[in-house]
Amino acid sequence: MPKTVFGGDHHHLVAVVMEARKRSGLTQGEVAARIGKDQTFISIIERGQRRIDVLEFVALTRAMGADPEKLFRDVLKRLPKKFDI
């Protein structure tokens, strides 16, 4: 995993979001446009340099045509019982 500003297990959330984007067939720019942001917004998230809050998570996953609840379950499955925030 590339060096990030944030430590801990945030990379699990980023991985789920990035995998969903790739499955959707959308580019970073296309997802960003759908939520009214610039492509760099998505890039910074995917590089682990910006955390995602819950509302952003929902907006991003919906923009990709994915189910936020299903994807969040995927995040929960990846997290260890004890993790750093």
Side-chain angles (χ1 to χ4, degrees), residues 4 12-13 19-20 25 30 32 35-36 42 48 51 53-54 62-63 65 67-68 70-71 74-75 80-81:
T4 66
H12 296 297
L13 176 62
E19 290 164 10
E30 291 167 332
I35 61 169
I42 305 300
R51 286 191 180 257
D53 74 26
V54 68
R62 286 181 178 172
D67 178 1
K70 181 190 175 303
L71 290 182
D74 291 346
V75 173
K81 295 272 186 212

Side-chain angles (χ1 to χ4, degrees), residues 1-27:
M1 178 93 350
K3 186 175 181 178
T4 66
V5 175
F6 303 102
D9 290 293
H10 184 257
H11 69 275
H12 296 297
L13 176 62
V14 171
V16 167
V17 170
M18 190 179 336
E19 290 164 10
R21 180 184 62 76
K22 290 178 180 179
R23 275 193 310 275
S24 76
L26 297 170
T27 65

